[in-house]
Amino acid sequence: DGGITQSPKYLFRKEGQNVTLSCEQNLNHDAMYWYRQDPGQGLRLIYYSQIVNDFQKGDIAEGYSVSREKKESFPLTVTSAQKNPTAFYLCASSMRDRGTDTQYFGPGTRLTVL
Amino acid sequence: DAKTTQPNSMESNEEEPVHLPCNHSTISGTDYIHWYRQLPSQGPEYVIHGLTSNVNNRMASLAIAEDRKSSTLILHRATLRDAAVYYCILSYAGGTSYGKLTFGQGTILTVHP
C-alpha cells in the first residue's frame, strides 16, 4: 500500500536531548512537510522541502533541523534549543492536483519531553 | 496569506446533510480553496478543493460563491465517522508558497446518533 509512515507513534525523551523523528513516503511525491500541533490548536509549518537536497524554513523552524537526502525520506530533528518540544508532530507529502497541491499526512508522532 | 473564518463548532444528526461555512473575503485570484478534516489523534485527511466552480467527489461537495469570498463544504449524509475538525484553507500555488497550507482552528463537527 502507498502512504506515509511516521515512527515511532509515541516518543519520550529527557530534556536537553536531541531526538529525530522519522518520515517515509512511497507515493513518489516531490514535496514533503513537517508540522507541529499543540492541544486544541491547528497545525503550524516547521519545514518543507520541494525537491531532494533542498528545504525551506516554515513559520516555526527555530530549534528544529531537517535533511532531504532521498526523495522518500524527510527526517526531523528536535534539538535541545527548542524551548517547548512536547507536541504532536505530523509529516506530509504532496502532489500536484488540478493546479494546486494536495497534501497527504502520516499518522503523527506524539513527542513528550520529560 | 489570506485568512479564513469558520465557526468554532457545529452539530448535526446522523444521516442528515451538513453545511460547513467558510468566509475568505481577502481571497486572491490565484488562491485555491482546500478542505481537510482531522479525526482525534490522527493526521489531517484531504477532503476536497476548488478554484471557482463547484466541485463534487466521493466524500463531499464544495460550493463556492460567485465572488469567491465564501464557500461551503457539504456532507450529504453525515455519519458518526464524519465527526472531526474541518479546516478550510486557502493555498497559493506558485512561487515560494508552493503547496504551503496555513491551518487555522477549524470547525469541530459533532454528529449525534
Side-chain angles (χ1 to χ4, degrees), chain A residues 45-101:
Chain A
L45 183 64
I46 304 172
Y47 270 98
Y48 64 104
S49 167
Q50 297 181 28
I51 55 171
V52 174
N53 293 322
D54 186 51
F55 47 83
Q56 289 79 41
K57 292 182 179 180
D59 300 318
I60 55 165
E62 185 176 349
Y64 299 98
S65 65
V66 294
S67 63
R68 186 85 187 278
E69 297 176 2
K70 298 186 297 182
K71 186 175 184 177
E72 56 271 20
S73 179
F74 191 40
L76 172 75
T77 297
V78 184
T79 75
S80 56
Q82 168 51 233
K83 290 182 171 47
N84 297 297
T86 295
F88 188 41
Y89 290 88
L90 289 152
C91 178
S93 67
S94 71
M95 60 176 281
R96 180 111 314 184
D97 176 14
R98 291 184 290 119
T100 186
D101 281 355

Side-chain angles (χ1 to χ4, degrees), chain A residues 9 31 33 35 37 40-43 45 48 50 59 88 90 96-107 110, chain B residues 32 34 36 38 41-46 49-50 55 87 91 93-105:
Chain A
K9 189 173 176 69
Y33 311 79
Y35 293 88
Q37 187 173 35
Q41 305 297 314
L43 282 67
L45 183 64
Y48 64 104
Q50 297 181 28
D59 300 318
F88 188 41
L90 289 152
R96 180 111 314 184
D97 176 14
R98 291 184 290 119
T100 186
D101 281 355
T102 299
Q103 292 194 14
Y104 295 83
F105 286 81
R110 196 168 295 278
Chain B
Y32 283 78
H34 292 247
Y36 285 76
Q38 185 176 21
S41 298
Q42 294 187 26
E45 174 187 29
Y46 166 78
H49 78 272
V55 184
Y87 297 100
S91 177
T96 58
S97 298
Y98 185 86
K100 182 178 175 181
L101 301 178
T102 301
F103 285 77
Q105 302 274 44

Side-chain angles (χ1 to χ4, degrees), chain B residues 12-75:
Chain B
S12 174
N13 294 319
E14 204 173 9
E15 298 192 6
E16 290 184 356
V18 181
H19 290 233
L20 296 163
C22 182
N23 288 321
H24 28 79
S25 58
T26 60
I27 191 170
S28 73
T30 51
D31 284 336
Y32 283 78
I33 302 159
H34 292 247
W35 284 83
Y36 285 76
R37 71 180 186 182
Q38 185 176 21
L39 279 65
S41 298
Q42 294 187 26
E45 174 187 29
Y46 166 78
V47 178
I48 201 167
H49 78 272
L51 183 61
T52 56
S53 304
N54 294 344
V55 184
N56 300 297
N57 66 21
R58 63 176 180 80
M59 290 181 69
S61 295
L62 176 60
I64 301 172
E66 197 169 333
D67 63 5
R68 300 209 326 126
K69 295 187 176 190
S70 65
S71 61
T72 302
L73 179 70
I74 302 166
L75 307 178

